[in-house]
Amino acid sequence: MKRITNLIALIILVAFGANAQINTPQPSPAGLVSSTVGLTDVSIEYFRPGKKGRKIFGSGDEYLEQFGEIWRTGANGGTMVNFSTDVKVAGQDVKAGEYQMVSKPGASQWEVMLISEPIGGNESAYDESKVVAKATVTPSKTASAVERMTFQIADISADNTSANIVFSWDDVMWSLPIEVSFHEAVMKDIAAKTQVNPQNYVAAANYYLTAGENLEQALEWMNKYLSVGENSGQFWNVHVKAQILAKMGKKKEAIAAAQDSMEKAKNFPSGDFGYVKRNQDLIDSLK
């Protein structure tokens, strides 16, 4: 009985001790950055060491991270990069999944690697055979010292097909390019969903217009949508039809569609939302 009583007391003491721990800021706080590029979710989870007055990159005992040596590219367990779809990293095919980023700093060039089997903070466990992508990047000087190591997903292109993973710490900055592909996925989505919801004809036609893909099909979809019920009164979609016709080189038909859209926009009770000018600009460009 005494043994049971002592065991209960020990459990209570341990539980009390766990709840009584003091929370303090971590020396290298966790960081998370994410973005969607095209249809691909890209995320980076890492720990952010601070400069704290130290010399960070160089050769010699006074530097924290040595040139030419493998580094976890962060603190604690290192840096993990996740892609929701297949991508290209520095032109190399990388399957969807999670990878640890490691690097080899240098004065004029860095090597940056993604590895398929994480090594955490144990740089000595680095295995070249686990590398799925390796890039040589050229560092640049930051305008001012960056106290906390930072990653960003930046420079997303206008067509949503590329971006850069940007690293900065101390006075060093470099970019790792990534490319994504979504055309095939969009095409499959269009094929499946235009059959069940006429509204999807608009999205499909817009995508084809932007991509310059099969404009005859885009026009057919838009005409199908506009022929349903009162859809022909939607001057914003009539304007899209005019744009498709213009891109096809059918100037006369495009001008007629733009004029139709403009008149409907002028008569819309809630305002034209800028479509009078858009249509006039399109008409002027075709004369």
Side-chain angles (χ1 to χ4, degrees), residues 253-274:
E253 295 92 331
I255 290 172
Q259 289 173 334
D260 180 30
S261 174
M262 185 161 54
E263 288 305 312
K264 287 170 178 172
K266 287 178 180 178
N267 297 319
F268 194 64
S270 300
D272 74 313
F273 306 114

PDB file of all heavy atoms in Angstrom, residues 253-274:
ATOM      1  N   GLU A 253     -15.889  40.929 -86.137  1.00  0.00           N
ATOM      2  CA  GLU A 253     -16.712  40.267 -85.118  1.00  0.00           C
ATOM      3  C   GLU A 253     -16.340  40.743 -83.714  1.00  0.00           C
ATOM      4  O   GLU A 253     -17.206  40.894 -82.846  1.00  0.00           O
ATOM      5  CB  GLU A 253     -16.567  38.748 -85.215  1.00  0.00           C
ATOM      6  CG  GLU A 253     -17.098  38.147 -86.511  1.00  0.00           C
ATOM      7  CD  GLU A 253     -16.014  38.025 -87.575  1.00  0.00           C
ATOM      8  OE1 GLU A 253     -15.077  38.846 -87.564  1.00  0.00           O
ATOM      9  OE2 GLU A 253     -16.123  37.104 -88.402  1.00  0.00           O
ATOM     10  N   ALA A 254     -15.039  40.985 -83.504  1.00  0.00           N
ATOM     11  CA  ALA A 254     -14.581  41.444 -82.195  1.00  0.00           C
ATOM     12  C   ALA A 254     -15.132  42.829 -81.882  1.00  0.00           C
ATOM     13  O   ALA A 254     -15.582  43.102 -80.753  1.00  0.00           O
ATOM     14  CB  ALA A 254     -13.056  41.459 -82.150  1.00  0.00           C
ATOM     15  N   ILE A 255     -15.115  43.720 -82.871  1.00  0.00           N
ATOM     16  CA  ILE A 255     -15.647  45.068 -82.668  1.00  0.00           C
ATOM     17  C   ILE A 255     -17.144  45.011 -82.372  1.00  0.00           C
ATOM     18  O   ILE A 255     -17.650  45.708 -81.479  1.00  0.00           O
ATOM     19  CB  ILE A 255     -15.356  45.948 -83.899  1.00  0.00           C
ATOM     20  CG1 ILE A 255     -13.851  46.252 -83.984  1.00  0.00           C
ATOM     21  CG2 ILE A 255     -16.156  47.242 -83.841  1.00  0.00           C
ATOM     22  CD1 ILE A 255     -13.424  46.944 -85.264  1.00  0.00           C
ATOM     23  N   ALA A 256     -17.875  44.156 -83.097  1.00  0.00           N
ATOM     24  CA  ALA A 256     -19.316  44.018 -82.859  1.00  0.00           C
ATOM     25  C   ALA A 256     -19.590  43.518 -81.440  1.00  0.00           C
ATOM     26  O   ALA A 256     -20.497  44.023 -80.750  1.00  0.00           O
ATOM     27  CB  ALA A 256     -19.915  43.065 -83.889  1.00  0.00           C
ATOM     28  N   ALA A 257     -18.814  42.545 -80.980  1.00  0.00           N
ATOM     29  CA  ALA A 257     -18.998  42.013 -79.622  1.00  0.00           C
ATOM     30  C   ALA A 257     -18.637  43.056 -78.577  1.00  0.00           C
ATOM     31  O   ALA A 257     -19.329  43.200 -77.548  1.00  0.00           O
ATOM     32  CB  ALA A 257     -18.150  40.757 -79.433  1.00  0.00           C
ATOM     33  N   ALA A 258     -17.574  43.832 -78.829  1.00  0.00           N
ATOM     34  CA  ALA A 258     -17.168  44.874 -77.886  1.00  0.00           C
ATOM     35  C   ALA A 258     -18.234  45.972 -77.817  1.00  0.00           C
ATOM     36  O   ALA A 258     -18.525  46.505 -76.732  1.00  0.00           O
ATOM     37  CB  ALA A 258     -15.816  45.454 -78.297  1.00  0.00           C
ATOM     38  N   GLN A 259     -18.816  46.336 -78.950  1.00  0.00           N
ATOM     39  CA  GLN A 259     -19.888  47.346 -78.950  1.00  0.00           C
ATOM     40  C   GLN A 259     -21.113  46.843 -78.192  1.00  0.00           C
ATOM     41  O   GLN A 259     -21.750  47.593 -77.443  1.00  0.00           O
ATOM     42  CB  GLN A 259     -20.245  47.709 -80.391  1.00  0.00           C
ATOM     43  CG  GLN A 259     -19.167  48.528 -81.086  1.00  0.00           C
ATOM     44  CD  GLN A 259     -19.445  48.746 -82.568  1.00  0.00           C
ATOM     45  OE1 GLN A 259     -20.151  47.939 -83.206  1.00  0.00           O
ATOM     46  NE2 GLN A 259     -18.885  49.804 -83.141  1.00  0.00           N
ATOM     47  N   ASP A 260     -21.452  45.566 -78.372  1.00  0.00           N
ATOM     48  CA  ASP A 260     -22.576  44.955 -77.651  1.00  0.00           C
ATOM     49  C   ASP A 260     -22.316  45.004 -76.149  1.00  0.00           C
ATOM     50  O   ASP A 260     -23.185  45.392 -75.350  1.00  0.00           O
ATOM     51  CB  ASP A 260     -22.748  43.514 -78.128  1.00  0.00           C
ATOM     52  CG  ASP A 260     -23.907  42.798 -77.436  1.00  0.00           C
ATOM     53  OD1 ASP A 260     -24.886  43.476 -77.065  1.00  0.00           O
ATOM     54  OD2 ASP A 260     -23.825  41.564 -77.263  1.00  0.00           O
ATOM     55  N   SER A 261     -21.086  44.626 -75.743  1.00  0.00           N
ATOM     56  CA  SER A 261     -20.710  44.648 -74.332  1.00  0.00           C
ATOM     57  C   SER A 261     -20.782  46.071 -73.777  1.00  0.00           C
ATOM     58  O   SER A 261     -21.275  46.295 -72.665  1.00  0.00           O
ATOM     59  CB  SER A 261     -19.291  44.092 -74.163  1.00  0.00           C
ATOM     60  OG  SER A 261     -18.844  44.231 -72.832  1.00  0.00           O
ATOM     61  N   MET A 262     -20.303  47.042 -74.558  1.00  0.00           N
ATOM     62  CA  MET A 262     -20.273  48.433 -74.098  1.00  0.00           C
ATOM     63  C   MET A 262     -21.686  48.976 -73.878  1.00  0.00           C
ATOM     64  O   MET A 262     -21.956  49.652 -72.875  1.00  0.00           O
ATOM     65  CB  MET A 262     -19.512  49.290 -75.103  1.00  0.00           C
ATOM     66  CG  MET A 262     -19.325  50.734 -74.669  1.00  0.00           C
ATOM     67  SD  MET A 262     -17.981  51.590 -75.552  1.00  0.00           S
ATOM     68  CE  MET A 262     -18.460  51.295 -77.260  1.00  0.00           C
ATOM     69  N   GLU A 263     -22.596  48.697 -74.806  1.00  0.00           N
ATOM     70  CA  GLU A 263     -23.964  49.179 -74.662  1.00  0.00           C
ATOM     71  C   GLU A 263     -24.643  48.575 -73.434  1.00  0.00           C
ATOM     72  O   GLU A 263     -25.365  49.265 -72.704  1.00  0.00           O
ATOM     73  CB  GLU A 263     -24.765  48.857 -75.927  1.00  0.00           C
ATOM     74  CG  GLU A 263     -24.391  49.703 -77.123  1.00  0.00           C
ATOM     75  CD  GLU A 263     -24.486  51.199 -76.838  1.00  0.00           C
ATOM     76  OE1 GLU A 263     -25.526  51.633 -76.282  1.00  0.00           O
ATOM     77  OE2 GLU A 263     -23.526  51.935 -77.140  1.00  0.00           O
ATOM     78  N   LYS A 264     -24.403  47.301 -73.221  1.00  0.00           N
ATOM     79  CA  LYS A 264     -24.992  46.642 -72.054  1.00  0.00           C
ATOM     80  C   LYS A 264     -24.384  47.180 -70.761  1.00  0.00           C
ATOM     81  O   LYS A 264     -25.077  47.317 -69.744  1.00  0.00           O
ATOM     82  CB  LYS A 264     -24.790  45.128 -72.163  1.00  0.00           C
ATOM     83  CG  LYS A 264     -25.696  44.491 -73.223  1.00  0.00           C
ATOM     84  CD  LYS A 264     -25.331  43.055 -73.507  1.00  0.00           C
ATOM     85  CE  LYS A 264     -26.316  42.467 -74.543  1.00  0.00           C
ATOM     86  NZ  LYS A 264     -25.932  41.135 -75.007  1.00  0.00           N
ATOM     87  N   ALA A 265     -23.106  47.508 -70.793  1.00  0.00           N
ATOM     88  CA  ALA A 265     -22.448  48.075 -69.615  1.00  0.00           C
ATOM     89  C   ALA A 265     -23.005  49.467 -69.303  1.00  0.00           C
ATOM     90  O   ALA A 265     -23.232  49.824 -68.135  1.00  0.00           O
ATOM     91  CB  ALA A 265     -20.943  48.155 -69.849  1.00  0.00           C
ATOM     92  N   LYS A 266     -23.240  50.266 -70.335  1.00  0.00           N
ATOM     93  CA  LYS A 266     -23.787  51.618 -70.140  1.00  0.00           C
ATOM     94  C   LYS A 266     -25.162  51.577 -69.488  1.00  0.00           C
ATOM     95  O   LYS A 266     -25.524  52.466 -68.712  1.00  0.00           O
ATOM     96  CB  LYS A 266     -23.902  52.338 -71.485  1.00  0.00           C
ATOM     97  CG  LYS A 266     -22.578  52.790 -72.074  1.00  0.00           C
ATOM     98  CD  LYS A 266     -22.798  53.455 -73.430  1.00  0.00           C
ATOM     99  CE  LYS A 266     -21.495  53.928 -74.061  1.00  0.00           C
ATOM    100  NZ  LYS A 266     -21.721  54.527 -75.401  1.00  0.00           N
ATOM    101  N   ASN A 267     -25.936  50.567 -69.808  1.00  0.00           N
ATOM    102  CA  ASN A 267     -27.319  50.475 -69.325  1.00  0.00           C
ATOM    103  C   ASN A 267     -27.465  49.669 -68.036  1.00  0.00           C
ATOM    104  O   ASN A 267     -28.586  49.469 -67.558  1.00  0.00           O
ATOM    105  CB  ASN A 267     -28.213  49.862 -70.411  1.00  0.00           C
ATOM    106  CG  ASN A 267     -28.285  50.733 -71.651  1.00  0.00           C
ATOM    107  OD1 ASN A 267     -28.370  51.949 -71.538  1.00  0.00           O
ATOM    108  ND2 ASN A 267     -28.257  50.125 -72.832  1.00  0.00           N
ATOM    109  N   PHE A 268     -26.356  49.212 -67.475  1.00  0.00           N
ATOM    110  CA  PHE A 268     -26.444  48.391 -66.267  1.00  0.00           C
ATOM    111  C   PHE A 268     -26.701  49.294 -65.066  1.00  0.00           C
ATOM    112  O   PHE A 268     -25.957  50.263 -64.831  1.00  0.00           O
ATOM    113  CB  PHE A 268     -25.136  47.612 -66.073  1.00  0.00           C
ATOM    114  CG  PHE A 268     -25.245  46.494 -65.070  1.00  0.00           C
ATOM    115  CD1 PHE A 268     -26.081  45.412 -65.290  1.00  0.00           C
ATOM    116  CD2 PHE A 268     -24.500  46.525 -63.894  1.00  0.00           C
ATOM    117  CE1 PHE A 268     -26.177  44.385 -64.371  1.00  0.00           C
ATOM    118  CE2 PHE A 268     -24.590  45.502 -62.972  1.00  0.00           C
ATOM    119  CZ  PHE A 268     -25.424  44.425 -63.207  1.00  0.00           C
ATOM    120  N   PRO A 269     -27.754  49.030 -64.270  1.00  0.00           N
ATOM    121  CA  PRO A 269     -28.155  49.932 -63.172  1.00  0.00           C
ATOM    122  C   PRO A 269     -27.053  50.183 -62.133  1.00  0.00           C
ATOM    123  O   PRO A 269     -26.987  51.273 -61.559  1.00  0.00           O
ATOM    124  CB  PRO A 269     -29.353  49.212 -62.540  1.00  0.00           C
ATOM    125  CG  PRO A 269     -29.875  48.311 -63.623  1.00  0.00           C
ATOM    126  CD  PRO A 269     -28.677  47.894 -64.416  1.00  0.00           C
ATOM    127  N   SER A 270     -26.215  49.193 -61.889  1.00  0.00           N
ATOM    128  CA  SER A 270     -25.210  49.325 -60.828  1.00  0.00           C
ATOM    129  C   SER A 270     -23.902  49.941 -61.309  1.00  0.00           C
ATOM    130  O   SER A 270     -22.942  50.058 -60.547  1.00  0.00           O
ATOM    131  CB  SER A 270     -24.924  47.949 -60.203  1.00  0.00           C
ATOM    132  OG  SER A 270     -26.092  47.400 -59.644  1.00  0.00           O
ATOM    133  N   GLY A 271     -23.839  50.326 -62.575  1.00  0.00           N
ATOM    134  CA  GLY A 271     -22.617  50.906 -63.108  1.00  0.00           C
ATOM    135  C   GLY A 271     -21.929  49.971 -64.085  1.00  0.00           C
ATOM    136  O   GLY A 271     -22.258  48.787 -64.178  1.00  0.00           O
ATOM    137  N   ASP A 272     -20.952  50.508 -64.795  1.00  0.00           N
ATOM    138  CA  ASP A 272     -20.309  49.729 -65.864  1.00  0.00           C
ATOM    139  C   ASP A 272     -19.033  49.023 -65.415  1.00  0.00           C
ATOM    140  O   ASP A 272     -18.458  48.245 -66.162  1.00  0.00           O
ATOM    141  CB  ASP A 272     -19.995  50.641 -67.054  1.00  0.00           C
ATOM    142  CG  ASP A 272     -18.819  51.566 -66.776  1.00  0.00           C
ATOM    143  OD1 ASP A 272     -18.786  52.190 -65.687  1.00  0.00           O
ATOM    144  OD2 ASP A 272     -17.933  51.653 -67.631  1.00  0.00           O
ATOM    145  N   PHE A 273     -18.562  49.315 -64.167  1.00  0.00           N
ATOM    146  CA  PHE A 273     -17.371  48.675 -63.604  1.00  0.00           C
ATOM    147  C   PHE A 273     -16.143  48.817 -64.516  1.00  0.00           C
ATOM    148  O   PHE A 273     -15.278  47.947 -64.551  1.00  0.00           O
ATOM    149  CB  PHE A 273     -17.624  47.190 -63.318  1.00  0.00           C
ATOM    150  CG  PHE A 273     -18.822  46.933 -62.463  1.00  0.00           C
ATOM    151  CD1 PHE A 273     -19.925  46.264 -62.968  1.00  0.00           C
ATOM    152  CD2 PHE A 273     -18.875  47.393 -61.146  1.00  0.00           C
ATOM    153  CE1 PHE A 273     -21.042  46.039 -62.176  1.00  0.00           C
ATOM    154  CE2 PHE A 273     -19.993  47.165 -60.355  1.00  0.00           C
ATOM    155  CZ  PHE A 273     -21.089  46.498 -60.870  1.00  0.00           C
ATOM    156  N   GLY A 274     -16.111  49.907 -65.276  1.00  0.00           N
ATOM    157  CA  GLY A 274     -14.950  50.165 -66.124  1.00  0.00           C
ATOM    158  C   GLY A 274     -15.000  49.508 -67.487  1.00  0.00           C
ATOM    159  O   GLY A 274     -14.061  49.653 -68.293  1.00  0.00           O
TER     160      GLY A 274
END
